[in-house]
Amino acid sequence: MLDQDFDSHDEVGQPLHGPRYASVPILGFGPRQRSAPEIILDLSRLISRVRFNAPTGVDRVEMAYAKQLLQFAPERLSFAAVHPTGVYGRLPTAAAAAFLHETEQTWIGGRHDRQSGVWSAKAVRALVRMLPRLAPEPIPERCSERVYLQVSPHHLDRPRRIRNILAREKARFVCLVHDLIPIEYPEHARPNGKSLHARRMETVSRFADAVIAASESTRRSLLGYLAHQGRGRDLDVCVAPLGADQIRARAPTQFGGSPYFVFVGTIEPRKNHLLLLNLWRRMVDELGPHVTPRLVLVGRRGWENENIVDMLDRCPQLVGVVEERGQLCDQEMWPIVAGARALVMPSFAEGFGLPVVEALKLGVPVLCSDIPAHREIADPIAEFFDPLDGPSWRAAISDYASPTSPRRQAQLSRMRLWKAPTWESHVRAAVEFIDGEPW
């Protein structure tokens, strides 16, 4: 028997009625017991992305939590999800593990078995296998408490759904907050992005017992925002930097030894593609297309990006110099990053900046915007610039393009002292935080 989600009609504005929607108190647990709590990891995000071959940063986070918890805390781990059909419930561990393995293999070499974004028989079969079941009653001898752990923003904008899940599971709520960018920079978000993210943060404020923040800047933003909204209740927040996957790649031969720079991320205004495109157009005008280094853009086209797309599609100076590769699977992306003279990341805002960590882990220099999230993860290794300081970006790009660049060599030397954060350390820190909470 499947457990239909309580508020599946709430998202389209239909009234909620009937006895199932009555107020249900979220149960507490009394004095803390010695046994560690059961961790119910929500996999809704990964299941909703079953059609796609390449992951987003949020997808990688949910996958990392699942893999790490399966490795070092399997006896206290359960999986759950809000299925695309609207059903919430538990997922059989064996089916979830198989789904995770298949998904990760698709990410590694994804374009070989299905077209990204298209419903296939394989995707439909995966959804059928992952239909949720009713949540079991707690087993005191196994775990005296339950913690519902959500590490993506999926369905956080529906507070009734979260409330009903917690009541049904008799669980405390811990979530990972990636950033508050749609609230702090609404001009860089979708038209409804600010209001949507505000609802998510309202859910966090009302129901979260503790929060994991991807960076110190995110922690400050979250607590500052909640205080400003008059929701300044005590909220325990742990900062745990995100990790990087195990990455090994050789530089590609497709560029014929010509110098190139790479950008990794969705094509959207917040990422500041326009700065790079205008710099490259100017370099082509001044140096010619054969002397100008190439720029490779890895990432799908996002939203509110008409000016960027106009330049990519219609600017003759960029033809053959700026290459748009779209969203690539890992086997296609990592070699391109590995062979670049540098990763360029002029973003106006980031919650963490995972491509920066991944580039440094590959031994690739980074030129990035001088924003708190980048400073936290790459200082003093990377070079930092104001995201609007075109001349400084141009000078660094010109220098790094040279095979004898002293600036680039200096960053490579600094990189020897840098230690990449790992997913193991991140997830272990999160679990220690959960276990240390005075529930």
Side-chain angles (χ1 to χ4, degrees):
M1 177 180 177
L2 299 178
D3 194 11
Q4 182 68 33
D5 180 65
F6 281 12
D7 62 338
S8 58
H9 299 293
D10 188 27
E11 58 202 89
V12 293
Q14 298 299 319
L16 300 178
H17 52 81
R20 288 196 302 171
Y21 306 115
S23 176
V24 181
I26 298 176
L27 301 182
F29 296 101
R32 178 170 173 79
Q33 304 297 318
R34 289 188 176 183
S35 61
E38 176 187 5
I39 296 175
I40 307 165
L41 180 64
D42 187 288
L43 296 182
S44 302
R45 168 78 179 198
L46 288 176
I47 294 175
S48 74
R49 296 270 304 168
V50 70
R51 293 179 294 149
F52 297 92
N53 295 324
T56 66
V58 176
D59 299 340
R60 291 187 186 277
V61 173
E62 196 165 284
M63 175 65 77
Y65 266 83
K67 289 175 58 180
Q68 290 296 325
L69 289 172
L70 275 171
Q71 182 174 338
F72 69 79
E75 73 286 348
R76 51 188 291 208
L77 174 64
S78 300
F79 294 111
V82 175
H83 196 268
T85 59
V87 174
Y88 170 79
R90 295 294 188 90
L91 305 173
T93 300
F99 168 78
L100 292 167
H101 175 74
E102 182 179 295
T103 299
E104 189 172 40
Q105 292 306 304
T106 297
W107 292 355
I108 293 172
R111 296 199 185 278
H112 304 298
D113 59 356
R114 66 176 184 255
Q115 184 180 354
S116 188
V118 174
W119 283 108
S120 65
K122 188 175 181 180
V124 172
R125 286 196 299 270
L127 286 183
V128 171
R129 291 197 305 269
M130 295 295 281
L131 279 171
R133 277 71 166 168
L134 282 170
E137 289 298 317
I139 303 175
E141 57 270 24
R142 181 187 177 199
C143 294
S144 61
E145 302 169 347
R146 285 176 171 176
V147 171
Y148 178 69
L149 176 61
Q150 183 165 332
V151 297
S152 83
H154 198 280
H155 62 256
L156 281 181
D157 57 312
R158 297 167 188 166
R160 292 192 203 184
R161 175 171 291 178
I162 294 295
R163 185 181 187 282
N164 291 332
I165 289 172
L166 298 177
R168 181 177 306 166
E169 293 282 7
K170 301 180 178 65
R172 302 291 188 175
F173 184 34
V174 176
C175 61
L176 172 66
V177 174
H178 293 256
D179 59 66
L180 275 77
I181 290 173
I183 294 172
E184 296 178 315
Y185 299 91
E187 69 274 19
H188 295 320
R190 299 174 189 264
N192 66 337
K194 180 177 181 179
S195 60
L196 182 68
H197 210 57
R199 289 203 300 274
R200 292 171 180 149
M201 295 305 103
E202 179 184 359
T203 301
V204 171
S205 173
R206 288 175 59 188
F207 300 117
D209 296 280
V211 171
I212 303 161
S215 64
E216 174 60 26
S217 59
T218 295
R219 186 193 71 85
R220 290 195 300 265
S221 293
L222 173 63
L223 294 179
Y225 172 75
L226 295 180
H228 181 72
Q229 295 296 309
R231 302 191 181 107
R233 68 178 179 85
D234 292 337
L235 185 62
D236 201 0
V237 182
C238 163
V239 176
L242 302 182
D245 293 318
Q246 294 297 323
I247 306 169
R248 294 182 180 86
R250 294 182 179 180
T253 58
Q254 56 191 298
F255 297 101
S258 300
Y260 67 91
F261 293 78
V262 66
F263 179 99
V264 177
T266 303
I267 298 177
E268 56 174 301
R270 173 173 65 89
K271 300 293 188 176
N272 201 15
H273 287 77
L274 279 178
L275 171 81
L276 297 176
L277 297 181
N278 281 300
L279 285 177
W280 252 263
R281 177 177 179 168
R282 178 67 62 86
M283 285 192 287
V284 171
D285 285 339
E286 295 178 359
L287 305 175
H290 300 296
V291 178
T292 302
R294 294 184 186 184
L295 173 64
V296 181
L297 305 179
V298 178
R300 64 183 178 86
R301 293 188 177 187
W303 49 89
E304 302 293 307
N305 57 12
E306 290 81 2
N307 292 338
I308 307 169
V309 171
D310 285 345
M311 288 198 71
L312 289 171
D313 291 346
R314 293 160 45 190
C315 180
Q317 287 93 332
L318 302 183
V319 175
V321 179
V322 175
E323 300 185 23
E324 186 182 358
R325 293 298 181 94
Q327 195 165 17
L328 303 178
C329 66
D330 290 355
Q331 280 186 346
E332 298 166 318
M333 179 176 69
W334 296 134
I336 292 175
V337 176
R341 300 300 295 170
L343 175 81
V344 285
M345 290 290 291
S347 311
F348 289 111
E350 294 285 351
F352 181 73
L354 196 53
V356 171
V357 172
E358 292 167 337
L360 291 175
K361 191 162 186 176
L362 278 171
V364 176
V366 171
L367 307 176
C368 59
S369 52
D370 194 355
I371 57 177
H374 285 164
R375 283 282 182 182
E376 282 186 51
I377 58 179
D379 194 18
I381 310 303
E383 290 204 46
F384 301 91
F385 309 93
D386 187 298
L388 296 176
D389 187 359
S392 293
W393 282 93
R394 167 72 183 274
I397 289 165
S398 297
D399 194 309
Y400 273 62
S402 169
T404 59
S405 167
R407 289 177 67 175
R408 186 175 189 273
Q409 187 57 49
Q411 184 172 162
L412 289 172
S413 297
R414 294 194 299 271
M415 209 179 296
R416 297 174 190 148
L417 304 176
W418 184 78
K419 187 176 181 180
T422 66
W423 283 121
E424 180 182 3
S425 62
H426 172 91
V427 177
R428 284 190 181 276
V431 171
E432 289 173 3
F433 175 59
I434 289 170
D435 290 349
E437 281 294 290
W439 303 118

